[in-house]
Amino acid sequence: MESDFKPLLDQYRANESYAGADRNGCDSLDPKSKRPFHVEPRNIVEEDAQERVSAAAAVMNSRMQYYSRLTGSSDRLLIPPDHVLPAPEEIYVYSPLGTAFKVEGNTDGSGKNPSIVTIFAIWNTMMGTSILSMPWGIKQAGFTLGVITIVLMGLLTLYCCYRVLKSRSTISFIDTSSWEFPDVCKYYFGSFGKWSSLLFSMVSLIGAMIVYWVLMSNFLFNTGKFIYNYVHHINVTDLDFGTNGTERVICPSYDSDHFQNATLGLYYTKDTNESSFLTFEKWWSKTDTVPFFLVILILPLLNFKSASFFARFTFLGTVSVVYLIILVTLKAAHLGFHLDFHWLHSNRFFVAEFRMEFPQLTGVLTLAFFIHNCVITLLKNNKNQENNVRDLSVAYLLVGLTYLYVGVLIFCAFPSPPLYKDCIEPNFLDNFPSTDILVFIARGCLLFQMTTVYPLLGYLVRVQLLGQIFKKHYPSFLHVLTLNIIVVGAGVLVAKFYPNIGSIIRYSGATCGLAYVFVFPSVIHIIALRRNGQLTWPSAVFHSFLIILGIANFFGQFLT
């Protein structure tokens, strides 16, 4: 009789389940909490070609529907007990028509990734357009200070990312398993935290989209120029100041009276005349026409309701980065190293080892190491949750080594003399002529990759912005089209009037990094320690230093 008065949900067992979930990571990672309806194999009746569900399975379906209503609550006392769910390896989806279909997929039912996959997923996500500006950033800071800055910024951003990852664990008595960092900010700072985190997230996304538009215009221009010259057998010489030989390096920003008065050398075949070439140059301009041509190609892609098609091409990011590493290695091997150390003062061909423009590199690195707004999501799928910190650290190490490898090799191999280290462009591919075959392939790969990634970034902007304002990711075609026109228009204007990706990256990086990287994680950690009575002076001083560093990094972009 006593059993009749026992509660259906035992308080002790529920708390034990709660603690177990905390030990093994957030409960949203448990596949049992995300499965569709299941039936055991013995409940599948195979009397005909189509699998039918037995009466026992129908009863289980009713039971599962009951528990599915309970799991909609955030109260962990309402989590269904383990014996209700079948083994992970036997997963079936129940149809109202009376059929059950087995779900094909992982045999363990986990849907999680091993550490090596997680590490390279973070590496692939973090590696973006900043890698093209790394040699320019080292030039702005000076070679020695640039290398030191990359190492220090990597360590600091890694620690702040660790604080973001652990921020949910600072909140007790609330189920935070499905929370992202903006939800944590809302918990600590109220509506201000919610909307400010959204604002800074928009800055990072729209800043990345603007950089992509400038680069896509650049790559499309050079690709079209290469194809036109190749088809019409045009050999263009002396358009840019640069070295001679097969491994030619140019200085597009070089300015001198001698160069301005130099004779333009054009060699045509009988199939091409000077007037047709000048007409092509008029209608195929890097800043005047090509950014507008891109609108015809890209704008329709942004209006799709789903971005799943473009997500299939994310592997191209890894391919492009690997090819860039190979390209940099080959160029450095052919050009050799050109270094001369001048510690505080620059000369005609070389820059000082320590320069006051180093905040420009810190701004670039803030965005280069920026993954703080999605690190929780990426690590949710890690198979071994206890290895999250280790895998995150290894991923940051790989990213930092990649940036150092590309930045240092291009800076060291840049031929000075006869060129000047100050000639290194914000996009180091611009230091190679459009006739370079290897660079042409790199530009083509990056153009295709960015064409597929750009709609994904637009989808994220739409989901975050329109989802917060209208509570729908796709309120109407007119709303989505208006937002896309504004974002694309911003990219076109910047590509026409200010196509300097180095400056765009550092401004957007320092802005979003001010909140997401330095201020919010540090303030949340200080508040959590103070509430628990664990705040110490060293911890308070160190995290206050991070806050000051983020503010100084932001304002330093406007002073250099």
Side-chain angles (χ1 to χ4, degrees):
M1 296 294 293
E2 293 181 357
S3 60
D4 296 335
F5 297 95
K6 290 183 179 180
L8 293 177
L9 296 172
D10 194 318
Q11 177 74 24
Y12 175 77
R13 293 181 59 84
N15 290 337
E16 184 181 33
S17 175
Y18 188 102
D22 286 342
R23 287 194 301 268
N24 298 325
C26 56
D27 65 334
S28 65
L29 295 172
D30 187 350
K32 293 182 294 186
S33 65
K34 296 297 184 182
R35 289 185 208 151
F37 164 68
H38 312 70
V39 294
E40 297 179 359
R42 57 187 173 84
N43 292 328
I44 300 296
V45 182
E46 300 181 354
E47 295 177 353
D48 52 18
Q50 187 179 28
E51 295 178 335
R52 308 295 297 182
V53 178
S54 65
V59 173
M60 180 179 287
N61 175 49
S62 300
R63 186 186 307 166
M64 287 299 302
Q65 288 181 350
Y66 169 73
Y67 277 109
S68 67
R69 295 176 183 272
L70 298 181
T71 56
S73 171
S74 61
D75 190 350
R76 294 194 176 195
L77 296 176
L78 301 179
I79 294 177
D82 292 343
H83 69 270
V84 175
L85 296 176
E89 61 270 12
E90 297 295 341
I91 303 178
Y92 293 83
V93 180
Y94 175 79
S95 168
L97 299 178
T99 58
F101 305 95
K102 186 169 184 177
V103 177
E104 301 294 338
N106 296 334
T107 57
D108 61 354
S110 63
K112 299 177 185 178
N113 300 320
S115 291
I116 187 66
V117 175
T118 302
I119 289 171
F120 279 98
I122 297 175
W123 176 82
N124 186 37
T125 304
M126 215 183 309
M127 296 298 301
T129 56
S130 302
I131 192 173
L132 299 175
S133 297
M134 211 52 60
W136 173 82
I138 292 178
K139 181 256 296 185
Q140 295 299 99
F143 179 68
T144 302
L145 183 57
V147 172
I148 295 174
T149 302
I150 292 176
V151 175
L152 291 180
M153 285 295 293
L155 293 174
L156 291 175
T157 51
L158 169 61
Y159 176 77
C160 293
C161 195
Y162 167 76
R163 291 266 61 95
V164 171
L165 183 63
K166 295 296 183 180
S167 61
R168 296 183 303 171
S169 63
T170 63
I171 302 174
S172 304
F173 309 111
I174 297 179
D175 181 12
T176 61
S177 59
S178 61
W179 284 23
E180 298 290 341
F181 190 59
D183 299 312
V184 179
C185 294
K186 181 181 179 181
Y187 173 82
Y188 279 99
F189 308 120
S191 297
F192 170 79
K194 172 185 175 181
W195 290 106
S196 60
S197 62
L198 175 64
L199 172 64
F200 288 109
S201 180
M202 288 295 102
V203 169
S204 65
L205 289 173
I206 295 178
M209 294 183 73
I210 291 175
V211 172
Y212 269 49
W213 199 272
V214 174
L215 287 174
M216 287 190 296
S217 302
N218 183 310
F219 296 149
L220 181 60
F221 168 78
N222 284 286
T223 302
K225 186 177 180 180
F226 175 88
I227 295 174
Y228 180 88
N229 293 341
Y230 180 80
V231 170
H232 294 85
H233 306 286
I234 298 177
N235 183 20
V236 183
T237 62
D238 296 335
L239 287 178
D240 290 302
F241 174 69
T243 61
N244 298 319
T246 55
E247 295 294 335
R248 191 161 186 262
V249 180
I250 62 176
C251 183
S253 58
Y254 180 73
D255 185 18
S256 71
D257 294 336
H258 174 74
F259 177 67
Q260 290 174 352
N261 296 328
T263 303
L264 176 65
L266 296 174
Y267 299 93
Y268 309 100
T269 64
K270 62 181 180 180
D271 299 327
T272 308
N273 53 43
E274 184 176 359
S275 61
S276 63
F277 177 80
L278 295 177
T279 302
F280 172 77
E281 290 283 298
K282 176 182 178 182
W283 290 101
W284 194 255
S285 170
K286 183 187 295 186
T287 57
D288 294 335
T289 59
V290 173
F292 295 92
F293 293 156
L294 270 177
V295 177
I296 303 174
L297 172 65
I298 301 298
L299 185 59
L301 302 179
L302 295 175
N303 298 306
F304 289 179
K305 286 188 176 181
S306 174
S308 59
F309 173 77
F310 303 102
R312 302 175 184 176
F313 299 96
T314 53
F315 72 94
L316 292 175
T318 303
V319 175
S320 301
V321 173
V322 171
Y323 182 79
L324 277 178
I325 293 174
I326 296 174
L327 173 66
V328 167
T329 304
L330 294 176
K331 292 296 182 182
H334 285 94
L335 294 172
F337 283 2
H338 304 266
L339 290 175
D340 191 12
F341 294 94
H342 298 268
W343 296 106
L344 299 176
H345 302 285
S346 303
N347 65 10
R348 182 180 180 186
F349 296 105
F350 297 94
V351 298
E353 299 300 303
F354 297 86
R355 304 183 72 184
M356 294 302 297
E357 292 84 357
F358 73 92
Q360 299 183 14
L361 176 58
T362 62
V364 171
L365 291 172
T366 306
L367 193 62
F369 287 112
F370 183 73
I371 199 175
H372 301 63
N373 60 343
C374 60
V375 64
I376 295 177
T377 302
L378 288 173
L379 288 174
K380 276 182 179 180
N381 293 324
N382 198 8
K383 186 175 183 179
N384 300 311
Q385 289 294 302
E386 66 274 9
N387 296 333
N388 278 348
V389 176
R390 183 202 66 183
D391 296 344
L392 180 64
S393 302
V394 173
Y396 260 85
L397 175 63
L398 292 178
V399 171
L401 291 177
T402 305
Y403 287 149
L404 279 173
Y405 186 84
V406 173
V408 169
L409 277 190
I410 290 296
F411 181 88
C412 294
F414 195 82
S416 53
L419 302 183
Y420 316 118
K421 294 293 186 183
D422 267 327
C423 286
I424 297 178
E425 293 291 310
N427 172 13
F428 76 83
L429 294 180
D430 287 342
N431 286 115
F432 300 97
S434 59
T435 55
D436 193 309
I437 299 294
L438 294 178
V439 177
F440 164 74
I441 296 174
R443 287 171 174 146
C445 292
L446 289 170
L447 175 61
F448 183 73
Q449 180 228 342
M450 292 181 178
T451 303
T452 58
V453 173
Y454 191 88
L456 290 176
L457 296 176
Y459 177 77
L460 293 176
V461 171
R462 181 208 312 170
V463 167
Q464 292 192 20
L465 187 59
L466 299 186
Q468 289 292 337
I469 298 176
F470 299 101
K471 308 304 179 183
K472 294 181 180 179
H473 299 164
Y474 203 98
S476 69
F477 176 77
L478 182 61
H479 288 87
V480 174
L481 180 62
T482 302
L483 174 63
N484 292 334
I485 290 175
I486 294 174
V487 175
V488 169
V492 171
L493 291 176
V494 174
K496 177 175 175 57
F497 296 106
Y498 192 69
N500 187 326
I501 67 165
S503 295
I504 303 169
I505 290 175
R506 69 186 180 95
Y507 283 125
S508 59
T511 303
C512 68
L514 173 64
Y516 257 102
V517 178
F518 296 106
V519 176
F520 283 171
S522 300
V523 173
I524 288 174
H525 187 59
I526 290 176
I527 295 175
L529 291 178
R530 184 176 180 181
R531 288 181 178 178
N532 295 330
Q534 300 175 347
L535 183 63
T536 61
W537 280 108
S539 179
V541 171
F542 175 71
H543 290 90
S544 299
F545 165 75
L546 290 178
I547 296 172
I548 296 173
L549 179 63
I551 297 174
N553 183 38
F554 174 76
F555 287 103
Q557 308 308 315
F558 302 94
L559 300 177
T560 57

